Amino acid sequence: MEQLDGFDLKILAELQRDGHLTNNELSERIALSPSQCSRRRSRLEAEGFITGYQAQIDRQKLGLDLMVVISVTLATHNRDNAKRFGKLVSGLPEVLEAYALTGEMDYHLRVVTPDLAGLSRFVNDVLLPHDSVQHVKTSIVLETLKSFEGLPIPERARG
């Protein structure tokens, strides 16, 4: 954070809202020249503050109507088993996010499927037969109260 000033934070906030902004549009929004915006944007990308740009796609328009949070407990707790499970999850396009946890469950997965039959196939044919998995608990999302809209970026740099 120390190397970021107020303009850098404004650039991050604006690009997080709209990654399509041109340097001219960005410069108008934050009151900085287009060339300065371009240099700063390039630096923020090079330093890893900006890790990429992607479109937000409506999952339901693609027929992925069911969102599920799946809690997984591993069969054994050792490094090799965790690696096997991590390899499995990283290759599954249905898994949108996966988190290793402390506490009762070992992992939480956010998964999308077309319907209950798709969820059943995913759990019974993919997760449960895997050597690393002992227990799976599914929770169907009934309503999304808030979706990820970006990180909370401070108004100004601390100093």
Side-chain angles (χ1 to χ4, degrees):
M1 266 299 281
E2 294 92 35
Q3 68 263 35
L4 299 181
D5 65 14
F7 286 115
D8 292 329
L9 294 172
K10 287 178 184 178
I11 288 170
L12 291 174
E14 291 298 329
L15 289 175
Q16 187 168 240
R17 275 193 278 286
D18 183 357
H20 281 92
L21 289 177
T22 66
N23 286 320
N24 286 337
E25 293 167 331
L26 188 57
S27 73
E28 289 174 14
R29 292 189 185 189
I30 67 168
L32 196 63
S33 74
S35 62
Q36 276 291 331
C37 285
S38 177
R39 280 194 289 277
R40 285 172 180 262
R41 176 188 263 180
S42 294
R43 180 179 56 80
L44 291 167
E45 291 170 351
E47 292 178 359
F49 286 96
I50 299 172
T51 58
Y53 300 89
Q54 66 184 157
Q56 294 178 359
I57 298 170
D58 185 322
R59 68 179 168 81
Q60 291 175 310
K61 289 192 185 255
L62 292 177
L64 298 169
D65 293 329
L66 200 62
M67 186 181 320
V68 184
V69 177
I70 300 178
S71 302
V72 178
T73 304
L74 295 183
T76 59
H77 292 86
N78 61 53
R79 185 175 301 171
D80 290 339
N81 203 36
K83 283 183 181 180
R84 279 195 304 277
F85 183 73
K87 186 175 180 181
L88 168 70
V89 167
S90 68
L92 298 172
E94 301 91 344
V95 177
L96 304 181
E97 296 174 313
Y99 302 99
L101 306 172
T102 61
E104 186 179 333
M105 302 306 265
D106 296 315
Y107 295 91
H108 274 197
L109 311 177
R110 191 165 64 96
V111 172
V112 291
T113 65
D115 49 28
L116 284 173
L119 173 61
S120 179
R121 279 189 300 277
F122 183 78
V123 169
N124 293 315
D125 298 344
V126 177
L127 289 181
L128 286 175
H130 197 268
D131 295 348
S132 64
V133 175
Q134 177 185 9
H135 178 72
V136 172
K137 179 180 176 183
T138 62
S139 299
I140 295 173
V141 174
L142 297 177
E143 180 182 2
T144 300
L145 302 178
K146 182 177 180 180
S147 292
F148 180 73
E149 294 176 4
L151 296 173
I153 297 176
E155 293 287 322
R156 56 181 155 74
R158 298 178 184 164

